[in-house]
Structures are given as C-alpha cells and as structure tokens.
Amino acid sequence: ALDQDGKARILIWRGLNKAIEGRSSYAPGLGQYDFNIMWSTDTQGYTVKTNGMQHVRKQFEWIADNFDAMNSKLFLHTGDMVENYDIASQWEAMSGLYRDTIEKAKIPYAFTVGNHDVNRYDASKNIFQNYFPVSRLRQNNPYFGESYDDMTYYYLMEESGAKLMFVGLGIPITQGAVDWVNSALARHPD
C-alpha cells in the first residue's frame, strides 16, 4: 500500500530475522501484507538432470495450489529457465510445465531471459520465442505491456494502490532496448 507520502513500501519477506528453531513457517500470515508476488529463478540445472524437472513441477504445483490462498497477483521467473538455450527438449519440458501448471491454474506470469536462455552473440540462434512467443505472454498475463524485440518486455500492474512496472531486458542489452525502456518509463511515469 502507499504511505501518506504516496510512496510504496515493499516487504521482501524471507523470515530470516528470527530464530529458525521451532518455526513452522517463514511466511507472514495472511492479512500481514497487501499482496504477494511469487518468484522463481535459475531452474536451468533441473532441465538437464535425470528427473530434475520433477523438482520444478513440484515447485510450480505448489505455486498453483497456494497462489490464491496467499493473495498472490503474479508469478515472476527471473531467468535461466533452461541450461542450454539451443536444446529444444529443455524448452519443450519447461513450456509443457508452464502449460500444465501455471497456465492451467490461470496464474498471470512474467519472466525475463537469463544468460542460459539465449545466445548472447547471435540472437538468430535463439529458440525460446518458439516456446514463449509474445502472443503467449500476452494471452496469459493481463499485466503484459509491450515487447521491444521478443526478449525485452514490460508489465504494468496496479494493486492495493501501488503502481508497479516490471521490466525485463534481453541479452545482450542493446542501446535500442535501453532507449525503448526509457521511452516506456516516460510513457508510464507513475
């Protein structure tokens, strides 16, 4: 929520400010926060391990099962979804997992690409857009704003009086992408 000065105060809760012994949960109780954004990152290692995707599936199923109960509004993955950007089977597994869990539960999601998700030197070799095209992101996220180059996006979200803008820059970060993001920020100054 916004304070009297119109500033948003964001709590990043990890529950590590109290002794670990005897705790049954590290999450604040419902009503102790205005809303929640669920977050995952660096799932790449699981895409190459035998039965590794089972761990990501359990995580995503937990997110789907608890999303509403925790007053969540967005699921955010901050990159490195796969280990090898050019191995279709890793993208197929991750794409299917999103479809069968996150999208099936109608959970709005956003992600940014990580260095494992793209070829940093030759964007023409990237295949993630085959599995997560802009049309899919737009269809599954009411907060989706715009895309610059299929790797650079922004999402706009307003919740509990807080106006939030999430920006994901593609890799490599180009001057064109930076200029586009600056333009988007200028169009959405609040």
Side-chain angles (χ1 to χ4, degrees), residues 55 84 151:
H55 297 289
N84 305 101
M151 289 192 298

Side-chain angles (χ1 to χ4, degrees), residues 11-181:
L11 168 67
I12 306 296
W13 182 276
R14 294 192 64 206
L16 299 178
N17 61 341
K18 296 181 181 177
I20 293 174
E21 295 82 21
R23 294 192 68 182
S24 61
S25 174
Y26 295 97
L30 196 58
Q32 293 181 303
Y33 56 93
D34 294 316
F35 63 94
N36 182 45
I37 296 171
M38 291 193 167
W39 172 50
S40 180
T41 193
D42 293 300
T43 51
Q44 77 271 19
Y46 295 112
T47 65
V48 294
K49 293 181 181 171
T50 303
N51 300 320
M53 288 302 289
Q54 291 179 11
H55 297 289
V56 183
R57 179 172 293 283
K58 286 180 184 179
Q59 179 188 59
F60 282 21
E61 287 173 348
W62 185 92
I63 289 167
D65 291 345
N66 291 279
F67 192 80
D68 291 333
M70 295 183 72
N71 195 27
S72 301
K73 304 301 178 187
L74 180 70
F75 169 51
L76 178 64
H77 193 296
T78 51
D80 291 338
M81 291 172 62
V82 300
E83 181 68 29
N84 305 101
Y85 71 89
D86 58 347
I87 304 294
S89 61
Q90 293 175 21
W91 284 111
E92 289 163 3
M94 191 59 74
S95 176
L97 188 56
Y98 265 82
R99 181 192 62 243
D100 296 344
T101 57
I102 303 303
E103 291 173 2
K104 183 177 179 181
K106 299 191 182 327
I107 293 173
Y109 65 87
F111 68 82
T112 61
V113 295
N115 64 307
H116 287 262
D117 300 330
V118 296
N119 182 313
R120 293 174 282 183
Y121 308 105
D122 185 355
S124 70
K125 294 182 179 180
N126 293 330
I127 63 171
F128 83 92
Q129 298 97 324
N130 298 339
Y131 300 95
F132 291 96
V134 170
S135 59
R136 183 177 182 180
L137 300 179
R138 186 176 286 114
Q139 175 183 350
N140 291 291
N141 189 338
Y143 308 122
F144 188 85
E146 295 178 43
S147 171
Y148 169 70
D149 58 4
D150 294 336
M151 289 192 298
T152 300
Y153 318 98
Y154 72 82
Y155 305 84
L156 297 172
M157 178 178 170
E158 185 169 352
E159 188 63 43
S160 302
K163 293 181 179 181
L164 303 172
M165 182 180 206
F166 298 90
V167 175
L169 283 165
I171 297 172
I173 298 172
T174 66
Q175 188 59 51
V178 170
D179 293 344
W180 181 82
V181 167

